[in-house]
Amino acid sequence: MKRHYTRILFVISIITLLLVSLVTFRNLSNYMEEVRLIRHSNRIIRTTQLVLSTIKDAEIGHRGFQLTRDTLYLKPYYSALSVLPGQLKLLDSLVTDNETQRKNVNSLNALIQNQFLIISNILSNASRSTLYMDTYESNLLSRSRENMDALRKRVNDVLEEEQRIVLIRGEKESDYKTTAPVALLSYTILSLFGVLFLFSKVMDELRKREKAETMVLENFKQLQQQKSIIEERKIILNEAESLSQMGSWKWTESTDDLVWSEGLYRIFDKKMEEPISWNSFLENVFPDDITLVENCLHDVKTNKNGSSIDYRIVKDDEIRYLSLTVKPHSVFSIDILGAVIDITRRKEQEKQLAFQNIEKEKRAEELIIANKELAFQNEEKEKRATELSIANKELDEKEKRYRTLFERSIDPIFLATGSLVLIDVNDSFTSFLGYSEIEALPIASLFANPDDHEYFKGTLKEMGQIRDFETMLITKSGEQKACLLNCVFIPDQAFGFSCYQGIVHDLTHLKKAENDMLMAERLALTGKIARTIAHEVRNPLTNLNLALDQLREEMPANNESAKLYGDIIERNANRIEQLVEEMLNSSKPKQLDLKLTSIKEILDDTISLAIDRIKLKQIELITSYQGDFPRILVDKNKIQIALLNIIINAVEAMVPGKGVLRIDVSVRENMLTLSIADNGKGIPAGEIGKLFDPFFTSKQSGMGLGLTSTKNILNSHNAQVEVKSELNKGTTFHIHFKLAE
């Protein structure tokens, strides 16, 4: 009986287990169906997002090409053309069983086709237009943005519809939910543990899956950030190479790969899609330099030795100079690094400098010839003096002749004792230095530099003479003059006593002419550099402004950080544009509207422009130009700008309440001289020569272009400017205008 009950219980248990198994099987089947539907929905969502991401890549790629005209940015666009049809076909197959989703996907397909048609029209127009966008291209961009907004909305409709389906499916209650609790309550402890164990495994797998998806998203974001940084660095590198006219390359020995930068393609005038090789370096090389370049490249590949060479290429029917520098490198996958710099401008400047040196050598040779002639004359004088000592009867006559030659010489001549004290000079010497009584004056007091005097005295004692010694002498009024000094020892046979005889050549006008030439060359070079920099800076600045406008359109309106940084970029870009404009205005040649104008009218109008500054700093203004002065041929507006710069600098250099500004006008022969003097802090002697140099300034907020522009204006009027200054006493500008004939 017990066995019978046992069998019955066993059968009941078996039946119960079978029933529970059937119920469990049914529950699992329903659960698997639900999982399949969830996966199907997730696949639709992922595919839709992938389609949107591909379209965004194409959109970003063609916009990058618009900003830079770099075909590298079109790779995402061409990649989208190849992968998008497969993605759309997969999306169509996933929504075939849902009429609403199928309509949304069909509408999405139409918007995508329209978007790529717009992009194709933009690219076709960009290949025919100039560097900057035209009106047609701007209209296409507006249509593209509107179509892209509609496309995003349609993608959101697909995603929202799929999420709605998932939500509705989750809210539905199946009949297995009512039978499952009864079956599970009657299930054995082992079955319960098994179900719990299975459930825990399923939840663990779901958590792992969610964690893996999170990690994938984070890695994707990091890759996007790294990609942006790499692209930004690449753009900066290309701009730097373009500004410095250089390019770079790398060579990998294991694969024999040779890679050029964009700058190198520009230097050799090659297209980015052209294949490159070692022979590419040799295609345009000047015939005489081919062996030099071949040996350098061979040494790089075989010995991996770093070296630098300068060679020539023929580009656009002209010879250009390049500098090639190579060195081995230990970075992974790179064996040799090289750089090529276009040094044509530097070579041209070196040629100009060499030409100037040759001219200076010619002038020095002319001076040497003149000194030789002078020495020959001195020898003749010595012979005549010897003859005079032998022939006493002719002594008076020859002495008179010598005295006449001595007194009427155009060049200053002096006689000095053995201790270098002056004993006799001619009239040219006294008028040159301004002394009325010159006797017993030590020669040392005439030298501006004590070291020059020591060298002069030492050379005379050692050699008995000194030739073509260039130095600065001081006049009685304290003015320094550049001179060329020749001096020779004369024994007592000539005059009855030993002495030194010297001749002074005035180099003041020659030095002034050289300084004027150097200043003109410096201004011309500055203008050329300014125009080059303006050209090279304005192109990337325009691209920067275009990119900023595009970013502002795409950024959310409530993003305060983006707005703040955008304003900072715009202000600095405008500041760069202003600096470029000021630099160009300070160096470019002035177009003059010359008219005979009264100097009084010019000064009155100029002072009226600066009178507010003068009164604000309580400066005393003293003028003396009320007389009837001749009119000068000038461009009144340009001269006012030049004079205003000088007056403002004078006002700023003086102490408020203690400053005195003097403006005087005088006429001498065919020259009108305007003097502007202040009692300010003065200018150090070492800085007066740099006063008109571009970008030289002692002001904290100045650019150093005001006096450069002033000098440029005065040069265009053939006016001469002299600056005299003493520290803590003041500065005076003397401006000399030639009177119209």
Side-chain angles (χ1 to χ4, degrees):
M1 193 68 172
K2 186 175 181 180
R3 180 178 294 179
H4 178 68
Y5 288 142
T6 301
R7 289 179 178 176
I8 293 174
L9 182 60
F10 177 75
V11 171
I12 292 173
S13 298
I14 294 297
I15 293 173
T16 302
L17 290 174
L18 289 174
L19 291 175
V20 172
S21 298
L22 290 174
V23 172
T24 303
F25 175 76
R26 181 187 177 192
N27 291 343
L28 289 176
S29 298
N30 290 329
Y31 174 75
M32 292 301 293
E33 179 64 19
E34 184 177 356
V35 169
R36 186 189 67 79
L37 294 175
I38 291 174
R39 289 180 177 176
H40 182 267
S41 297
N42 288 338
R43 193 175 181 188
I44 292 174
I45 291 172
R46 286 197 304 272
T47 305
T48 304
Q49 291 175 343
L50 184 60
V51 169
L52 180 60
S53 175
T54 303
I55 297 171
K56 286 181 177 180
D57 289 344
E59 182 73 11
I60 293 172
H62 93 82
R63 287 181 181 270
F65 172 76
Q66 284 183 278
L67 291 175
T68 64
R69 292 302 191 262
D70 189 347
T71 57
L72 181 63
Y73 287 97
L74 293 179
K75 288 185 178 180
Y77 168 72
Y78 292 129
S79 177
L81 290 177
S82 62
V83 302
L84 196 59
Q87 295 174 352
L88 293 175
K89 183 177 181 181
L90 176 60
L91 187 60
D92 286 337
S93 65
L94 292 175
V95 299
T96 52
D97 56 347
N98 189 317
E99 182 65 24
T100 301
Q101 289 291 64
R102 192 164 64 252
K103 291 180 179 180
N104 287 335
V105 171
N106 290 337
S107 177
L108 180 62
N109 280 332
L111 290 172
I112 291 172
Q113 291 177 1
N114 187 36
Q115 184 66 19
F116 275 88
L117 179 60
I118 294 173
I119 294 174
S120 176
N121 291 335
I122 291 174
L123 295 180
S124 298
N125 183 71
S127 65
R128 298 189 300 269
S129 65
T130 59
L131 181 62
Y132 307 104
M133 292 190 294
D134 54 15
T135 305
Y136 176 69
E137 193 170 340
S138 299
N139 293 334
L140 289 177
L141 281 175
S142 178
R143 288 178 52 196
S144 173
R145 186 162 52 251
E146 293 174 358
N147 191 78
M148 196 67 189
D149 292 339
L151 194 148
R152 289 191 184 96
K153 183 178 183 305
R154 186 59 59 197
V155 168
N156 289 334
D157 291 343
V158 174
L159 297 178
E160 290 175 358
E161 176 64 20
E162 198 61 34
Q163 291 174 356
R164 187 184 66 80
I165 293 172
V166 172
L167 185 62
I168 293 174
R169 190 184 297 125
E171 292 176 352
K172 290 182 179 180
E173 293 186 357
S174 303
D175 56 352
Y176 73 89
K177 291 184 178 179
T178 59
T179 58
V182 177
L184 291 175
L185 287 175
S186 61
Y187 206 47
T188 61
I189 296 175
L190 181 62
S191 299
L192 181 61
F193 284 152
V195 171
L196 291 175
F197 178 76
L198 179 63
F199 179 75
S200 65
K201 286 292 184 181
V202 171
M203 293 302 296
D204 185 57
E205 290 297 325
L206 290 175
R207 283 193 296 271
K208 289 181 179 179
R209 178 181 177 182
E210 183 179 359
K211 184 177 180 181
E213 290 178 349
T214 303
M215 291 179 63
V216 169
L217 289 176
E218 291 178 353
N219 292 335
F220 179 75
K221 290 180 180 179
Q222 292 177 358
L223 289 175
Q224 288 292 97
Q225 293 176 354
Q226 293 176 359
K227 180 180 178 181
S228 300
I229 293 173
I230 291 173
E231 291 295 332
E232 182 178 1
R233 290 176 179 174
K234 182 178 179 181
I235 292 172
I236 293 174
L237 176 61
N238 290 336
E239 292 296 336
E241 286 188 345
S242 178
L243 288 174
S244 59
Q245 291 186 330
M246 69 171 293
S248 56
W249 53 269
K250 71 170 186 176
W251 176 64
T252 304
E253 182 180 20
S254 58
T255 59
D256 197 25
D257 286 339
L258 183 63
V259 180
W260 285 8
S261 69
E262 292 185 13
L264 204 56
Y265 279 97
R266 284 192 293 269
I267 290 176
F268 286 99
D269 197 18
K270 293 185 179 295
K271 298 180 179 179
M272 294 292 295
E273 60 270 14
E274 288 187 33
I276 59 171
S277 65
W278 290 106
N279 291 331
S280 301
F281 282 99
L282 305 175
E283 288 181 358
N284 298 329
V285 176
F286 193 71
D288 294 344
D289 295 343
I290 291 179
T291 303
L292 175 65
V293 179
E294 288 179 341
N295 292 337
C296 180
L297 296 181
H298 179 73
D299 189 50
V300 167
K301 293 191 290 183
T302 56
N303 302 326
K304 297 183 181 180
N305 291 329
S307 64
S308 296
I309 62 169
D310 293 346
Y311 68 100
R312 296 164 291 177
I313 64 171
V314 179
K315 182 179 178 182
D316 298 332
D317 295 330
E318 68 173 340
I319 295 178
R320 301 194 68 82
Y321 293 86
L322 302 181
S323 176
L324 172 62
T325 302
V326 295
K327 70 171 185 177
H329 206 277
S330 58
V331 177
F332 176 73
S333 78
I334 300 177
D335 293 287
I336 299 295
L337 288 179
V340 176
I341 305 176
D342 190 336
I343 59 172
T344 304
R345 291 182 182 174
R346 189 183 75 188
K347 290 293 185 181
E348 291 175 352
Q349 294 172 355
E350 289 176 354
K351 289 180 179 178
Q352 293 177 358
L353 182 60
F355 176 76
Q356 294 174 0
N357 291 334
I358 291 173
E359 291 295 322
K360 290 181 179 179
E361 290 176 358
K362 289 182 179 178
R363 289 195 293 270
E365 290 176 356
E366 292 174 354
L367 290 175
I368 291 173
I369 293 172
N371 289 331
K372 288 181 179 179
E373 293 177 354
L374 180 61
F376 177 76
Q377 293 175 2
N378 290 333
E379 291 177 0
E380 291 296 322
K381 291 177 184 178
E382 291 177 0
K383 291 179 180 179
R384 287 195 296 270
T386 303
E387 293 173 357
L388 284 172
S389 63
I390 297 173
N392 293 326
K393 292 181 181 181
E394 299 176 359
L395 180 61
D396 294 336
E397 182 180 355
K398 291 184 178 180
E399 184 178 354
K400 290 179 181 179
R401 266 186 292 174
Y402 171 79
R403 195 67 189 176
T404 302
L405 182 64
F406 180 84
E407 293 293 341
R408 295 184 180 180
S409 174
I410 297 176
D411 291 327
I413 302 176
F414 65 90
L415 295 177
T417 64
S419 58
L420 296 178
V421 176
L422 295 178
I423 56 176
D424 195 8
V425 297
N426 63 354
D427 293 338
S428 297
F429 192 97
T430 56
S431 62
F432 177 69
L433 293 177
Y435 289 96
S436 58
E437 296 181 3
I438 203 78
E439 293 184 0
L441 181 68
I443 290 181
S445 63
L446 302 179
F447 283 85
N449 188 350
D451 293 336
D452 286 354
H453 171 256
E454 292 298 324
Y455 177 80
F456 174 81
K457 182 172 66 175
T459 304
L460 284 178
K461 289 183 178 181
E462 181 180 356
M463 306 295 296
Q465 63 178 1
I466 187 169
R467 295 177 180 273
D468 301 330
F469 178 59
E470 187 173 336
T471 186
M472 299 293 294
L473 298 184
I474 303 176
T475 65
K476 186 177 181 179
S477 62
E479 181 182 1
Q480 295 187 9
K481 291 189 175 182
C483 301
L484 196 67
L485 190 58
N486 291 277
C487 190
V488 63
F489 177 76
I490 300 176
D492 56 2
Q493 290 87 353
F495 298 100
F497 59 92
S498 299
C499 66
Y500 289 97
Q501 180 184 15
I503 298 179
V504 180
H505 296 285
D506 186 7
L507 299 180
T508 305
H509 296 292
L510 179 61
K511 289 292 184 181
K512 187 175 182 301
E514 290 179 353
N515 290 334
D516 291 342
M517 183 180 296
L518 288 175
M519 178 59 70
E521 292 175 353
R522 194 178 302 166
L523 289 175
L525 180 59
T526 301
K528 186 176 181 181
I529 294 174
R531 290 189 291 275
T532 302
I533 292 176
H535 175 73
E536 296 294 340
V537 169
R538 278 177 169 169
N539 286 340
L541 197 60
T542 301
N543 292 338
L544 179 63
N545 289 327
L546 290 175
L548 180 60
D549 293 340
Q550 186 63 35
L551 285 175
R552 282 178 170 173
E553 291 180 2
E554 296 184 359
M555 285 294 180
N558 58 355
N559 192 332
E560 294 297 328
S561 296
K563 183 179 179 182
L564 174 63
Y565 293 132
D567 292 341
I568 292 173
I569 294 173
E570 184 177 13
R571 285 199 303 274
N572 284 275
N574 293 335
R575 177 58 177 162
I576 293 172
E577 181 69 22
Q578 179 184 357
L579 293 177
V580 170
E581 191 66 27
E582 290 181 5
M583 186 164 57
L584 285 175
N585 290 336
S586 70
S587 59
K588 66 183 180 182
K590 308 298 180 183
Q591 298 296 328
L592 303 179
D593 182 15
L594 298 176
K595 295 180 181 178
L596 285 172
T597 310
S598 169
I599 188 66
K600 180 179 182 300
E601 178 182 352
I602 295 173
L603 288 173
D604 287 341
D605 293 345
T606 304
I607 291 174
S608 67
L609 296 175
I611 195 65
D612 292 335
R613 290 174 180 259
I614 295 173
K615 291 181 178 179
L616 183 64
K617 297 194 71 173
Q618 300 178 3
I619 303 299
E620 180 182 0
L621 177 63
I622 301 176
T623 61
S624 61
Y625 55 86
Q626 304 303 321
D628 187 13
F629 294 103
R631 293 187 297 172
I632 55 177
L633 186 65
V634 295
D635 184 330
K636 180 182 177 182
N637 293 330
K638 297 290 191 304
I639 288 296
Q640 283 183 352
I641 293 173
L643 298 182
L644 185 62
N645 283 335
I646 297 175
I647 292 174
I648 290 176
N649 285 344
V651 171
E652 293 177 349
M654 292 185 285
V655 178
K658 298 181 180 180
V660 177
L661 180 63
R662 296 180 180 273
I663 301 178
D664 301 320
V665 178
S666 62
V667 176
R668 184 176 181 182
E669 296 180 356
N670 64 337
M671 190 74 68
L672 184 145
T673 300
L674 167 64
S675 300
I676 302 175
D678 64 71
N679 63 344
K681 59 185 178 180
I683 303 171
E687 294 182 2
I688 291 180
K690 306 176 183 177
L691 203 57
F692 300 105
D693 287 354
F695 308 110
F696 176 80
T697 180
S698 59
K699 302 178 184 178
Q700 293 182 352
S701 60
M703 283 188 60
L705 294 175
L707 287 181
T708 301
S709 179
T710 297
K711 182 65 174 176
N712 196 10
I713 292 173
L714 294 177
N715 285 347
S716 64
H717 285 81
N718 293 323
Q720 303 296 324
V721 59
E722 297 178 28
V723 183
K724 297 181 179 179
S725 181
E726 292 184 46
L727 287 177
N728 302 321
K729 290 187 178 181
T731 304
T732 302
F733 282 76
H734 298 290
I735 305 172
H736 306 288
F737 296 94
K738 290 185 178 180
L739 297 176
E741 296 181 357

